[in-house]
Amino acid sequence: MGTLNAKFGKKLAKYGTFDFSACYNCGNCTAVCSLTDQEESFPRNMVRYSVLGLEDEIKSSLKPWLCYYCGDCSAYCPQEAFPGELMMSLRRWLTSRYDWTRLAGLFYRSVIWNIIAFLLIAAGVITYAFHVNFSLEHVMHVGHLFEIVAIAAVFAIILMPNIVRMWWFTIAKSGEKIPVKAYLISLRELFLHMFTQKRTLDCEKHTFRWLEHLILVIGYLTLLFTTVFLDWFSARNKIVIVFGYIVSGLVFIVTFHFVFNRIIKSKEVSRFSHHSDWFFVIWLFFMGITAFVVRLYIDINIIEDNLWLYLVHLIILVQWAVIIVPFGKWTHFLYRSFAMYFKKVLTSANQ
Amino acid sequence: MKKKIGVYICHCGGNISDYVDVEKVYAEVRNEKGVALAKITMFACADANQKEMEADIPEKDLDGVVVASCSPQLHLTTFRAVVERAGLNKYDYVHANIREQGSWAHSDNKSGATENAIHVVKAAIAKVRNAESLEPIKISSVKAVAVIGAGVSGMRSAIALAKAGCKVYIIERDHFVGGRVAQWENLFSTNETGEEIIKRLYNDTINNDNITLYTGAQVLSQSGNIGSYRLKVQINPGFVRNSVYSYEMDEAISVCPIKIPDLFNFGFTQRKAIYRNHSGQLPIMAVIDDENCTRCGDCEKVCKDIDFSQQKKEINIEVGSVLVASGFDTYTPKNNEFGYCVIDNVITLPQLKRLVAMSDRHLEYKGNRIKNIAYIYCVGSRQLDGENKYCSRYCCTAAIHTATEIRRKYKEINNYHFTRGVRTYGKQEIYYSEALKMGDVFMQSFDNELPEVLQKGNKTFVKIKDILTEQKELKLQADLVVLVTSMVPRDGISVNDLFKLPKGRDGFLKEIHLKLRPVETVIDGITIAGCCQGPMNLTESVNSALSAATKSYSYVSKGELELEPIIAKVDKEACTWCDACFKACPFDAIIKVEEGFKVFARVSDSICKGCGMCLPVCPKDAIELNSYTNREIEEMIDMLASD
């Protein structure tokens, strides 16, 4: 039995949604959705739960992650209740529920806290640089070290426990017995979706968006690999250097296009932008472009006189790694893949 | 007995002649007894043919006419007018339908259709042969209308009638005018308050010289019929001399020892036996309620305006028409219907509206601050098992409007609507949209699985199986449960019984025809307006009030009325007064007359409807119906049954 709670709507509004309570239950949104099916019917059902304030039901549902936001539901909604935007907000809300530190919720709800955190990080980096007398070599070395440590720590301390929590809410809590075999045979689904996001292709007219996303994901992961493991900024190997240029270029070109879309609001998907959306694309863009320019300055030998440039890059990198990756929109990439995995686990267990 | 009859047989451009052999019909009927002229015409209704008929009648000296063509619904009045223009009486014309009941019905059997047409035309000729000229019955009509009830419908129709120049008597049972609308604050769509509307109507009413307003009045008896209804009205005194708002009167009210529940506030508050009008009600004055006053005299001692010497008055008024606008009652839920009377915080929507009207900064009920309100819809209407099968129409909008008003007034309140499908028809849909956008929650149940109201400890819960959420069971802890009650017919309205006004299956007063004659009753001269006829919102009530005013005005405007002469008449010689016809008459049109030793029945011209119920019960065959006399009908049967 669900307990009604109309106040949930007000809570949810802080995560970006609006007007979803205008829904009069026609079901057009579900009818036009390319991704909904018999077993997993949405978004009407999620709109309904949100209106009624059935928090537990939403928390145990994977449906918000199964939506890839083509925006058709919002475009066809006769009540202008923007179900697509509601699904987006539910993903943000779920992220805040999965996050054991509760910081995700804080950053989603408040733009001020984001800015404070960003400023603190910037101050920290500058203080450290001051501490080592602005020695480029020193700063770059620690910067590189930070990348390795940050990846490991964020993953181990925040992301892993959060994914376990997601698993608890959506699968384990119901008490359903799932055989280990189901987890194993479904693993393929996890990696397939993580690296291809191929479900986007099922949204009509989204081939180009999928391609952009794919390039971004691969570009981003490769840039990560290039800078962290191939130590791009210190590399001598010509191939590695050129490769770094290409992938960082790809990242900032694609993210520039995303930012541009959000500014001109040409499509339903980019019509509404929450601050977490802006931070995500803008920081990615800055990461790409500053990495590119830093390497360029190294290659034309003027980096020594322009330490500030590397510091900017480092500040952006730390903000990205410490705020946006564990508590921001970056996690959606992870939760989406795990949602597809968990869905597969549940269906194979039921067979 | 007509001797020179003209018969016109119509082709209807093939509609008739494609199946009926018109020539054969012509040949068969041209030599019928009394037929002086027979013609075939392509379109009988065409101007050219009408002119030809007009010329034929004086030329051939015709005394009766038959046109065999389409349904009388279509052209009976057309041809009656033709014969009248040519100088005949309209009852000298008889219409034979050989299209709808001939060619069209028997298009598969041409010879049969022709036979049928021949018989129908011959029967019409037989009827016209025996037809008598009749003149409409003229009676005088008093140019005055009595309006029963001084709510919005009553006052609005009275103002309309008075402006048309008609004398109006408003008879209101209560000591104050305003009816139900006086009880409401903001009204939907215009956002005026009930008080503002009543004030406007009241001012127009008392400032119009044509209107006489009787409050504290009720009709004791009536006699007469359309054009002249005589009503005996009793006027109850208020026992208060002048209506000035005085300190002494306040004192008189405070010393009164009698306390009774105040029905204006649905029993939420109490009033004394001497009490003032509520805001919304008019006129501004205090009255003593005769029924509950014990004449202890305490008020008299402190206030000089009290006057117990006032007496009941009886007055007689005569009007040409009566307009009934006696309003509705709100449904009172049965004991334990959704917890009513059993669970503390279960009230009705009208009660909630009064509660809001009386509340200030917070909405409180029995000392508890209200946060969550559950509205349960369709209480007392659309009942699966109960008697009220009808949809009460106004309640969805009323509940939603009240809920949004509450939300505007008290920000902390959440509204939960337990509906059976929201029916905010027409423009009222805007309110539904608005409520949704404000975050009101709407759920819906089937009529066989209604929501449940439960009490656990000191908490009240409402449970529903919501068909909008995959039939999921949902539960709410409610601070206040509001039963959205329906409109029900008002009990104890004396005029309803005095005039024997017919009621529908729902118990509301019944019109003659819902679509075509929506404000007339089968009692000639009595019209109905507003919610005495069925649930209506204010707009609809005023529409019906103005419509009823127009209809009532049409009965009295000329000072004279023309009635259809097709009525029963009694052969006074043959009648021996057995009272069979008296019992059979549904309209009380039979009057017992004694002239010396002779006792016989007489038919009241103005009451008789010509229904014919008295005819077959008469053992002496002493009653005939104009235009359907025994001879006419018998000869028609002979013709229809002939080979």
Side-chain angles (χ1 to χ4, degrees):
Chain A
M1 184 175 301
T3 305
L4 293 165
N5 175 21
K7 283 186 214 140
F8 181 63
K10 283 178 198 145
K11 210 190 292 184
L12 214 49
K14 292 184 182 146
Y15 291 83
T17 188
F18 48 89
D19 283 352
F20 68 95
S21 69
C23 168
Y24 61 19
N25 303 294
C26 66
N28 263 4
C29 49
T30 303
V32 299
C33 179
S34 327
L35 295 178
T36 189
D37 56 33
Q38 291 266 311
E39 292 93 54
E40 305 287 355
S41 163
F42 61 88
R44 194 200 90 107
N45 150 297
M46 282 293 127
V47 177
R48 191 70 194 146
Y49 282 7
S50 305
V51 168
L52 300 173
L54 306 181
E55 287 188 44
D56 289 344
E57 280 79 352
I58 298 172
K59 208 160 77 175
S60 63
S61 175
L62 291 169
K63 286 178 186 176
W65 300 112
L66 304 182
C67 158
Y68 278 60
Y69 204 166
C70 65
D72 278 355
C73 51
S74 294
Y76 285 96
C77 175
Q79 282 290 86
E80 301 193 330
F82 299 106
E85 199 51 31
L86 172 79
M87 293 297 271
M88 188 68 219
S89 306
L90 286 178
R91 289 193 281 277
R92 292 178 195 133
W93 180 78
L94 282 178
T95 308
S96 81
R97 295 292 96 181
Y98 298 159
D99 180 31
W100 66 271
T101 64
R102 299 280 173 201
L103 285 171
L106 186 69
F107 290 135
Y108 272 122
R109 288 193 299 268
S110 147
V111 77
I112 303 286
W113 276 107
N114 277 281
I115 290 167
I116 291 173
F118 287 151
L119 288 177
L120 282 175
I121 286 167
V125 171
I126 291 165
T127 313
Y128 174 75
F130 177 77
H131 181 71
V132 295
N133 292 324
F134 296 100
S135 142
L136 177 72
E137 201 185 336
H138 219 105
V139 176
M140 273 183 96
H141 175 71
V142 170
H144 184 232
L145 214 62
F146 169 81
E147 284 180 3
I148 297 166
V149 173
I151 291 171
V154 163
F155 193 75
I157 300 168
I158 311 218
L159 298 180
M160 263 313 276
N162 287 354
I163 283 168
V164 172
R165 277 168 65 84
M166 178 188 184
W167 166 80
W168 170 254
F169 292 141
T170 57
I171 296 185
K173 208 175 171 187
S174 69
E176 205 180 332
K177 284 265 180 289
I178 310 277
V180 180
K181 195 182 156 214
Y183 286 105
L184 293 176
I185 59 168
S186 309
L187 267 177
R188 185 183 154 266
E189 200 82 353
L190 174 66
F191 294 107
L192 180 70
H193 284 281
M194 191 178 284
F195 292 108
T196 67
Q197 303 216 339
K198 78 178 182 66
R199 194 171 158 86
T200 317
L201 281 172
D202 293 335
C203 285
E204 277 165 42
K205 295 172 276 179
H206 269 54
T207 319
F208 183 69
R209 187 169 154 236
W210 168 78
L211 196 67
E212 271 190 317
H213 253 115
L214 188 70
I215 291 171
L216 185 65
V217 169
I218 291 172
Y220 168 73
L221 292 175
T222 327
L223 182 63
L224 197 70
F225 182 77
T226 318
T227 49
V228 177
F229 298 104
L230 301 180
D231 197 5
W232 184 37
F233 290 149
S234 316
R236 302 252 177 259
N237 185 331
K238 285 251 164 56
I239 296 166
V240 173
I241 294 167
V242 174
F243 193 60
Y245 274 127
I246 292 170
V247 290
S248 57
L250 278 178
V251 168
F252 79 74
I253 289 164
V254 173
T255 46
F256 175 77
H257 188 231
F258 283 160
V259 174
F260 180 73
N261 275 344
R262 286 201 178 271
I263 291 169
I264 61 164
K265 303 179 180 188
S266 61
K267 295 175 204 138
E268 196 62 45
V269 59
S270 48
R271 195 166 150 198
F272 303 105
S273 299
H274 188 255
H275 61 257
S276 59
D277 301 323
W278 285 119
F279 288 143
F280 180 76
V281 285
I282 291 172
W283 257 249
L284 250 184
F285 170 73
F286 280 146
M287 286 240 299
I289 202 158
T290 52
F292 190 92
V293 178
V294 165
R295 181 66 225 191
L296 194 68
Y297 275 33
I298 293 170
D299 284 339
I300 56 178
N301 253 328
I302 54 170
I303 192 71
E304 294 281 356
D305 304 328
N306 291 287
L307 173 72
W308 64 270
L309 182 72
Y310 182 75
L311 276 183
V312 169
H313 174 71
L314 187 61
I315 289 169
I316 300 235
L317 187 81
V318 179
Q319 288 167 336
W320 170 263
V322 180
I323 308 290
I324 297 174
V325 170
F327 307 116
K329 204 181 178 183
W330 189 92
T331 50
H332 291 199
F333 152 78
L334 208 62
Y335 294 139
R336 270 194 197 290
S337 322
F338 272 92
M340 291 307 290
Y341 172 52
F342 290 157
K343 184 187 167 211
K344 184 77 179 173
V345 168
L346 286 169
T347 44
S348 35
N350 286 334
Q351 280 161 10
Chain B
M1 182 74 83
K2 312 257 190 260
K3 289 183 180 133
K4 289 188 167 178
I5 301 165
V7 181
Y8 296 83
I9 303 157
C10 181
H11 273 257
C12 197
N15 270 304
I16 293 170
S17 56
D18 283 356
Y19 311 103
V20 170
D21 185 347
V22 175
E23 294 290 339
K24 194 174 173 195
V25 178
Y26 168 75
E28 284 280 337
V29 304
R30 61 186 291 197
N31 294 322
E32 272 297 287
K33 188 177 156 197
V35 173
L37 170 80
K39 275 187 177 175
I40 294 174
T41 164
M42 185 51 76
F43 285 107
C45 56
D47 269 0
N49 186 62
Q50 289 192 27
K51 292 223 169 71
E52 199 178 318
M53 285 171 71
E54 273 177 62
D56 284 348
I57 292 167
E59 193 181 307
K60 306 279 182 197
D61 200 15
L62 300 179
D63 55 4
V65 175
V66 169
V67 174
S69 60
C70 53
S71 158
Q73 287 283 345
L74 218 58
H75 282 310
L76 175 68
T77 38
T78 313
F79 296 119
R80 275 184 169 178
V82 171
V83 301
E84 278 190 316
R85 288 202 294 274
L88 296 184
N89 181 280
K90 67 178 177 184
Y91 295 97
D92 293 333
Y93 171 76
V94 172
H95 199 89
N97 178 0
I98 58 167
R99 192 179 74 174
E100 280 82 348
Q101 292 170 352
S103 61
W104 283 357
H106 306 292
S107 53
D108 57 336
N109 181 353
K110 289 185 184 179
S111 65
T114 306
E115 277 303 301
N116 173 299
I118 292 167
H119 283 90
V120 168
V121 179
K122 279 184 177 175
I125 294 167
K127 181 167 182 345
V128 81
R129 206 159 43 217
N130 295 295
E132 278 170 35
S133 304
L134 299 170
E135 291 303 327
I137 300 161
K138 287 188 177 170
I139 58 166
S140 70
S141 180
V142 182
K143 198 169 176 180
V145 176
V147 172
I148 312 296
V152 167
S153 298
M155 288 197 284
R156 188 65 193 91
S157 49
I159 293 162
L161 283 162
K163 279 191 177 159
C166 174
K167 187 106 189 82
V168 186
Y169 303 96
I170 305 181
I171 299 160
E172 167 58 50
R173 188 169 62 174
D174 204 347
H175 285 288
F176 307 107
V177 306
R180 291 287 176 201
V181 174
Q183 291 174 295
W184 314 141
E185 285 200 305
N186 280 357
L187 300 166
F188 87 86
S189 88
T190 59
N191 271 336
E192 285 161 291
T193 59
E195 184 177 354
E196 283 164 352
I197 292 218
I198 298 302
K199 199 179 268 175
R200 245 161 72 183
L201 290 173
Y202 177 71
N203 287 337
D204 286 355
T205 301
I206 55 165
N207 291 330
N208 195 313
D209 293 339
N210 278 340
I211 304 179
T212 313
L213 171 65
Y214 297 115
T215 53
Q218 74 196 100
V219 183
L220 291 182
S221 66
Q222 69 91 13
S223 63
N225 46 56
I226 184 167
S228 167
Y229 280 111
R230 287 172 294 279
L231 309 180
K232 184 182 276 185
V233 180
Q234 175 183 299
I235 300 167
N236 301 314
F239 305 108
V240 172
R241 218 173 277 126
N242 85 54
S243 63
V244 180
Y245 209 99
S246 69
Y247 170 76
E248 285 176 9
M249 190 57 72
D250 285 342
E251 191 67 16
I253 293 171
S254 74
V255 298
C256 176
I258 311 291
K259 276 186 183 175
I260 53 163
D262 190 349
L263 292 183
F264 189 87
N265 287 330
F266 299 100
F268 276 169
T269 55
Q270 291 192 313
R271 69 160 169 83
K272 301 293 184 66
I274 174 167
Y275 63 103
R276 279 187 207 282
N277 61 304
H278 286 273
S279 72
Q281 292 181 314
L282 286 163
I284 297 169
M285 63 175 197
V287 289
I288 291 172
D289 150 21
D290 202 14
E291 230 173 274
N292 294 296
C293 174
T294 56
R295 295 289 191 279
C296 68
D298 285 357
C299 53
E300 232 177 344
K301 286 174 205 152
V302 294
C303 179
K304 61 180 186 316
D305 288 329
I306 310 288
D307 177 9
F308 282 116
S309 69
Q310 290 180 5
Q311 294 295 323
K312 280 182 185 167
K313 272 189 288 188
E314 274 181 18
I315 55 164
N316 291 300
I317 56 178
E318 191 185 6
V319 292
S321 168
V322 178
L323 187 153
V324 180
S326 52
F328 68 98
D329 267 333
T330 63
Y331 175 78
T332 310
K334 298 201 169 55
N335 198 29
N336 209 12
E337 185 173 1
F338 297 107
Y340 193 71
C341 293
V342 176
I343 298 172
D344 248 5
N345 46 357
V346 179
I347 62 172
T348 68
L349 182 66
Q351 285 176 329
L352 175 70
K353 284 162 93 84
R354 290 311 304 162
L355 188 68
V356 174
M358 293 185 293
S359 297
D360 228 7
R361 283 184 46 220
H362 300 290
L363 188 64
E364 286 183 2
Y365 183 64
K366 295 194 173 167
N368 294 322
R369 178 94 67 87
I370 306 299
K371 291 266 170 63
N372 289 341
I373 307 182
Y375 300 84
I376 298 182
Y377 282 54
C378 302
V379 179
S381 60
R382 300 174 68 200
Q383 291 174 323
L384 201 61
D385 301 319
E387 281 172 9
N388 300 349
K389 302 288 179 208
Y390 57 90
C391 164
S392 183
R393 292 162 50 91
Y394 96 109
C395 7
C396 282
T397 311
I400 290 172
H401 179 252
T402 309
T404 47
E405 287 287 308
I406 288 177
R407 242 184 134 105
R408 273 193 203 104
K409 203 167 164 185
Y410 314 104
K411 301 273 181 263
E412 77 263 29
I413 283 181
N414 293 305
N415 294 314
Y416 298 85
H417 303 259
F418 295 79
T419 78
R420 277 170 57 199
V422 175
R423 296 181 172 181
T424 44
Y425 57 95
K427 288 179 186 169
Q428 301 163 43
E429 183 76 359
I430 297 166
Y431 290 95
Y432 178 37
S433 278
E434 199 184 348
L436 285 168
K437 285 200 176 132
M438 284 172 104
D440 278 21
V441 178
F442 288 84
M443 286 145 286
Q444 186 177 344
S445 62
F446 287 123
D447 49 8
N448 55 359
E449 268 185 310
L450 299 177
E452 273 180 85
V453 183
L454 310 163
Q455 197 167 28
K456 276 184 199 153
N458 55 0
K459 286 177 178 170
T460 306
F461 292 92
V462 184
K463 280 205 308 195
I464 187 174
K465 230 180 187 183
D466 181 25
I467 57 176
L468 301 177
T469 319
E470 302 137 3
Q471 298 234 48
K472 203 172 167 56
E473 280 230 329
L474 301 172
K475 182 178 75 173
L476 171 75
Q477 191 206 318
D479 303 318
L480 193 63
V481 178
V482 177
L483 307 184
V484 180
T485 46
S486 62
M487 288 184 181
V488 291
R490 196 166 242 179
D491 265 346
I493 300 298
S494 57
V495 284
N496 294 0
D497 299 330
L498 289 173
F499 287 104
K500 292 190 183 162
L501 295 179
K503 290 175 181 173
R505 230 178 289 172
D506 54 12
F508 288 99
L509 297 184
K510 193 165 162 53
E511 65 293 311
I512 291 181
H513 189 288
L514 191 59
K515 291 181 171 62
L516 303 176
R517 300 174 74 181
V519 295
E520 295 161 74
T521 65
V522 290
I523 317 295
D524 278 346
I526 315 259
T527 57
I528 49 178
C531 293
C532 63
Q533 190 186 4
M536 293 180 194
N537 64 28
L538 199 43
T539 311
E540 291 156 352
S541 291
V542 171
N543 277 339
S544 106
L546 291 175
S547 165
T550 310
K551 200 70 217 175
S552 276
Y553 184 67
S554 75
Y555 299 143
V556 301
S557 59
K558 289 185 203 145
E560 185 182 72
L561 279 169
E562 280 192 5
L563 305 178
E564 183 82 17
I566 301 178
I567 56 169
K569 56 185 180 194
V570 179
D571 178 352
K572 140 181 177 183
E573 299 309 320
C575 175
T576 55
W577 185 261
C578 62
D579 88 353
C581 58
F582 179 80
K583 282 181 188 154
C585 179
F587 303 102
D588 294 346
I590 307 279
I591 305 157
K592 186 178 180 181
V593 184
E594 293 178 40
E595 273 180 17
F597 294 108
K598 177 81 184 156
V599 182
F600 59 92
R602 184 194 286 157
V603 175
S604 162
D605 289 356
S606 48
I607 301 177
C608 176
K609 297 265 185 296
C611 71
M613 295 293 275
C614 52
L615 270 64
V617 299
C618 181
K620 301 283 176 193
D621 211 2
I623 313 181
E624 285 267 40
L625 188 61
N626 280 344
S627 193
Y628 295 90
T629 59
N630 288 351
R631 207 165 68 199
E632 282 170 72
I633 301 296
E634 278 161 15
E635 281 202 27
M636 282 177 83
I637 293 169
D638 285 347
M639 280 303 156
L640 290 168
S642 68
D643 292 330

